[in-house]
């Protein structure tokens, strides 16, 4: 068990709570996408993720401005056995101003892109791929922090894609497969960390499929 910190939308603004829950990947995935300082595109300009609050309007690719419903924060304490927690993407790695500046992201970060290949050739077909899949030791680098490090994730009313330092990145969704694999007690505990919803199905549908670079094979250009 470990502590997690959340902020969530209410009728009169937003609430805050600290909860204790398992330190398993399923739980941590809700808190470890964006590193401190990541710039999120909002209606009024870029806002550092640590300054974002529920109710603020972020820009989404699929539905335009959407209010932030929930923000998850966790602190990672380095240890001798800690792996490379963060992924650093150098400016321009995926195209002009993509990202605009060097970007630090956590293990839960997924980037939206259009893979090549026959199954993505027709229509507006995109996929979310873990950012750390692109680690090459050159323009995308794995980093093991030496100091305590905060990471964040955000949840909207509708799952989708936001602009983070010039990259199209996924907002939080647990994935219905993962929720289905949890026992009833664990699933109830997980959902309780999101006071803005009542049941697991309130997360809705994924905006785009999730695919690893390995599963895409030579379609991962």
């Amino acid at each position: 068990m470990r502590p997690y910190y959340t902020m969530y939308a209410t009728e009169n603004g937003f609430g805050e709570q600290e909860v204790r829950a398992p330190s398993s990947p399923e739980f941590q995935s809700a808190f470890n996408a964006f590193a401190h300082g990541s710039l999120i595109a909002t209606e009024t300009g870029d806002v550092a993720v640590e300054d974002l609050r529920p109710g603020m309007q972020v820009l989404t690719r699929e539905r335009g401005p959407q209010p932030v419903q929930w923000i998850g924060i966790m602190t990672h304490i380095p240890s001798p056995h800690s792996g490379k927690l963060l992924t650093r993407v150098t400016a321009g790695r995926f195209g002009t101003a993509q990202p605009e500046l060097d970007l630090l992201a956590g293990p839960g970060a997924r980037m939206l892109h259009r893979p090549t290949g026959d199954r993505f050739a027709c229509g507006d077909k995109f996929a979310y791929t873990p950012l750390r899949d692109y680690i090459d030791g050159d323009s995308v680098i794995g980093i093991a922090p030496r100091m305590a490090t905060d990471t964040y994730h955000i949840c909207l009313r509708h799952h989708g894609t936001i602009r983070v330092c010039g990259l199209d990145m996924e907002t939080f969704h647990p994935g219905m497969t993962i929720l289905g694999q949890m026992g009833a007690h664990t699933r109830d505990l997980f959902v309780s960390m999101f006071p803005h919803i009542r049941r697991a199905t309130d997360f809705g549908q994924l905006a785009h499929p999730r695919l690893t670079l390995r599963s895409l094979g030579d379609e991962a250009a």
Side-chain angles (χ1 to χ4, degrees):
M1 303 291 282
R2 60 152 301 143
Y4 299 94
Y5 180 74
T6 71
M7 293 184 283
Y8 52 92
T10 66
E11 292 184 357
N12 301 315
F14 68 89
E16 305 174 62
Q17 67 175 357
E18 183 176 285
V19 297
R20 295 193 65 84
S23 59
S24 63
E26 294 81 7
F27 279 79
Q28 292 195 26
S29 67
F31 300 84
N32 64 6
F34 311 122
H36 192 88
S38 297
L39 297 177
I40 312 294
T42 76
E43 261 193 327
T44 57
D46 289 347
V47 174
V49 66
E50 63 270 20
D51 295 327
L52 208 61
R53 295 293 182 270
M56 296 178 69
Q57 299 275 341
V58 297
L59 303 181
T60 70
R61 182 186 182 95
E62 295 81 11
R63 298 173 182 267
Q66 277 201 65
V68 174
Q69 297 293 300
W70 180 93
I71 300 171
I73 309 164
M74 66 181 293
T75 300
H76 303 265
I77 306 298
S79 74
H81 307 291
S82 296
K84 294 182 177 180
L85 171 73
L86 301 180
T87 300
R88 186 179 75 190
V89 184
T90 58
R93 164 61 175 82
F94 296 104
T96 303
Q98 298 180 45
E100 298 169 352
L101 304 169
D102 284 8
L103 169 68
L104 277 178
R110 292 186 180 92
M111 182 180 70
L112 182 73
H113 66 117
R114 188 198 298 271
T116 59
D118 291 342
R119 56 180 163 155
F120 294 94
C122 300
D124 186 31
K125 296 184 178 179
F126 292 83
Y128 294 117
T129 296
L131 199 59
R132 65 191 319 167
D133 280 9
Y134 293 92
I135 290 176
D136 57 13
D138 182 19
S139 56
V140 185
I141 304 166
I143 295 177
R146 297 182 180 180
M147 302 176 62
T149 301
D150 289 339
T151 57
Y152 306 75
H153 217 330
I154 72 172
C155 192
L156 308 179
R157 182 170 292 117
H158 302 282
H159 177 254
T161 311
I162 58 175
R163 201 76 170 164
V164 183
C165 295
L167 286 183
D168 285 334
M169 305 293 289
E170 182 189 20
T171 60
F172 178 70
H173 190 294
M176 301 313 294
T177 300
I178 289 177
L179 288 173
Q181 293 171 347
M182 291 180 178
H185 175 73
T186 302
R187 185 168 56 250
D188 289 346
L189 175 59
F190 184 86
V191 172
S192 73
M193 297 195 306
F194 300 85
H196 68 286
I197 64 173
R198 295 184 177 181
R199 56 188 70 86
T201 54
D202 290 342
F203 284 110
Q205 300 297 313
L206 287 171
H208 304 280
R210 291 169 171 168
L211 297 168
T212 64
L213 284 188
R214 178 174 294 183
S215 69
L216 287 167
D218 61 359
E219 299 180 355

